[in-house]
């Protein structure tokens, strides 16, 4: 029988691409999402790309009564937990909202898993949990260098999940620490559709190239990097999605809790990304250099050795492919899923 996976926050950017990969690998998918950070229109796109249907529940994961009904209605084999507020700047302005929502979502989900005997969890974590440390960053690097409440909710959720896994020998959890997911599905039917002005670099670059914004602001050009702009580990969202399927395979044969980086293991600068997007699209991306942002570091990129050894996973798509796929989505759906 196909395995049934509950995907919290499955209508979001990473969640939707992961649902496609799950469906195409034979899993049955149930999404629980309150659509605060996403749009209902994505569901039809997921099904069109995957060639299969899914089950959707408009549910706030902090609502234990509503979430319990999903567990009662389905035999769930494992959970992938994406659900949570995710805007870094907003988390600084509204810290209590972020702590209440993101931590309660994790606590409520784990309570339901415990109640209904579901023992396998893949958690959407982040490289923001690491302290400032030289790259490449391995999983045993110092933690707790979060510079905003969003990052701290990932750090605290990791600790909660580790304690949950530790107290029952049947439980298995993988803490997937993402670096910088960008791009879109190769078909151009699925991509990043942020609410309002994008907080992340890549969709902003795409909209500048499309003429929706006049220019990109580059925060600092005096970093200790090859061109003076900050270097980050950009990873194609479909490579990241595949990492979750690999994590489910790992959960089937292991118990306990382990953190695993998902990144390419190499860094690209802001201007590398800008020039790659220009090359992929033939369109200029005007930019202006501005002052550094507090807390930004020269370079951050992963040591992906553990993912390669334990999950048998490596990132395959390069920056040119990320830009080409992202542009395909931008051109086909300039106004997102509702356009």
């Amino acid at each position: 029988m196909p395995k049934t996976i509950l995907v919290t926050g499955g209508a979001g950017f990473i969640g939707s691409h992961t649902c496609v990969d799950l469906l195409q690998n034979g899993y049955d998918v149930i999404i629980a999402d309150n659509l605060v950070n996403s749009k209902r229109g994505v569901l039809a796109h997921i099904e069109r790309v995957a060639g299969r249907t899914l089950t959707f529940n408009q549910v706030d994961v902090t609502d234990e009564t509503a979430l319990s009904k999903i567990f009662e209605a389905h035999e769930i084999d494992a959970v992938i937990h994406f659900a949570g507020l995710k805007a870094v700047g907003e988390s600084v302005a509204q810290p209590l909202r972020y702590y209440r929502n993101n931590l309660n979502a994790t606590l409520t989900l784990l309570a339901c898993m415990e109640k209904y005997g579901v023992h396998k969890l893949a958690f959407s974590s982040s490289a923001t949990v690491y302290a400032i440390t030289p790259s490449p960053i391995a999983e045993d690097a110092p933690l707790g260098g979060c510079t905003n409440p969003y990052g701290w909710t990932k750090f605290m959720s990791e600790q909660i999940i580790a304690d949950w896994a530790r107290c029952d020998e049947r439980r298995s959890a993988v803490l997937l620490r993402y670096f910088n997911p960008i791009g879109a599905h190769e078909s151009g039917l699925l991509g990043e559709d942020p609410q309002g002005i994008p907080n992340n670099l890549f969709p902003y670059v795409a909209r500048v190239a499309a003429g929706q914004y006049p220019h990109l602001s580059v925060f600092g050009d005096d970093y200790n990097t090859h061109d003076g702009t900050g270097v980050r580990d950009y990873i194609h969202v479909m490579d990241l999605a595949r990492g979750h399927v690999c994590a489910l395979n790992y959960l089937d044969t292991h118990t306990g809790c382990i953190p695993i980086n998902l990144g390419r293991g190499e860094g690209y600068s802001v201007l590398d990304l800008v020039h790659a997007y220009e090359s992929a699209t033939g369109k200029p991306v005007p930019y202006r250099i501005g002052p550094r942002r507090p807390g930004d570091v020269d370079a951050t990129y992963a040591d992906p050795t553990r993912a390669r050894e334990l999950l048998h996973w490596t990132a395959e798509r390069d920056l040119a492919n990320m830009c080409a796929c992202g542009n395909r989505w931008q051109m086909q759906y300039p106004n997102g899923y509702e356009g």
Side-chain angles (χ1 to χ4, degrees):
M1 294 292 293
K3 292 183 178 179
T4 299
I5 311 300
L6 173 63
V7 184
T8 72
F13 173 46
I14 303 170
S16 60
H17 288 76
T18 300
C19 286
V20 165
D21 211 287
L22 290 169
L23 289 166
Q24 291 181 332
N25 278 277
Y27 292 95
D28 289 335
V29 172
I30 302 166
I31 292 177
D33 197 308
N34 62 6
L35 301 180
V36 167
N37 287 327
S38 52
K39 298 174 183 176
R40 185 177 291 272
V42 70
L43 304 172
H45 286 247
I46 294 171
E47 293 180 335
R48 181 179 172 187
V49 173
R52 294 183 59 206
T53 60
L54 53 77
T55 301
F56 175 71
N57 297 271
Q58 188 167 347
V59 165
D60 191 318
V61 179
T62 66
D63 184 341
E64 188 166 350
T65 300
L67 193 60
S68 292
K69 291 179 181 178
I70 298 175
F71 280 87
E72 289 171 359
H74 304 275
E75 284 287 335
I76 295 170
D77 295 286
V79 178
I80 301 177
H81 180 33
F82 294 104
L85 300 173
K86 62 176 185 177
V88 168
E90 185 179 70
S91 78
V92 175
Q94 303 176 34
L96 296 184
R97 178 180 174 226
Y98 269 68
Y99 285 119
R100 181 179 292 114
N101 182 86
N102 291 4
L103 297 181
N104 280 348
T106 298
L107 290 165
T108 301
L109 175 64
L110 293 177
C112 286
M113 292 178 67
E114 185 169 271
K115 180 179 179 181
Y116 294 96
V118 179
H119 304 300
K120 299 171 184 176
L121 174 67
F123 175 57
S124 168
S125 192
S126 168
T128 60
V129 302
Y130 290 113
I132 295 175
T133 188
S135 293
I137 301 172
E139 290 83 355
D140 58 358
L143 302 178
C146 312
T147 58
N148 55 76
Y150 163 76
W152 283 115
T153 66
K154 293 296 187 183
F155 176 86
M156 294 175 184
S157 288
E158 281 200 7
Q159 185 62 55
I160 292 167
I161 292 166
D163 290 339
W164 168 83
R166 190 177 296 114
C167 71
D168 189 322
E169 63 182 11
R170 296 172 295 177
R171 293 176 183 164
S172 181
V174 176
L175 311 173
L176 296 172
R177 294 175 179 165
Y178 310 157
F179 280 68
N180 297 77
I182 63 172
H185 190 271
E186 288 85 348
S187 65
L189 296 173
L190 206 65
E192 188 168 7
D193 186 12
Q195 305 274 18
I197 298 174
N199 290 301
N200 296 329
L201 174 63
F202 189 81
Y204 204 99
V205 168
R207 293 186 182 188
V208 171
Q212 295 183 20
Y213 300 133
H215 66 271
L216 170 73
S217 294
V218 177
F219 300 108
D221 63 350
D222 59 348
Y223 289 97
N224 184 26
T225 62
H226 65 276
D227 63 14
T229 62
V231 166
R232 299 294 181 266
D233 189 334
Y234 296 104
I235 175 176
H236 196 294
V237 66
M238 287 309 300
D239 280 334
L240 188 63
R242 182 168 47 83
H244 293 78
V245 175
C246 295
L248 291 178
N249 293 332
Y250 179 86
L251 291 171
D252 277 342
T253 56
H254 296 79
T255 56
C257 180
I258 187 168
I260 300 180
N261 289 335
L262 292 182
R264 283 185 57 83
E266 62 181 327
Y268 299 108
S269 74
V270 174
L271 292 184
D272 285 338
L273 191 153
V274 166
H275 298 322
Y277 202 92
E278 291 176 328
S279 296
T281 64
K283 298 172 183 176
V285 179
Y287 64 88
R288 295 179 182 174
I289 304 296
R292 290 192 185 200
R293 294 179 299 189
D296 278 352
V297 298
D298 295 334
T300 301
Y301 54 95
D303 178 348
T305 302
R306 183 175 291 181
R308 183 174 64 250
E309 293 179 347
L310 299 186
L311 303 186
H312 309 294
W313 173 93
T314 56
E316 298 174 350
R317 299 163 176 87
D318 62 14
L319 186 59
N321 185 277
M322 300 178 212
C323 292
C325 292
N327 182 64
R328 196 172 297 124
W329 155 256
Q330 179 66 36
M331 292 299 98
Q332 292 184 199
Y333 295 94
N335 299 311
Y337 293 109
E338 295 176 356

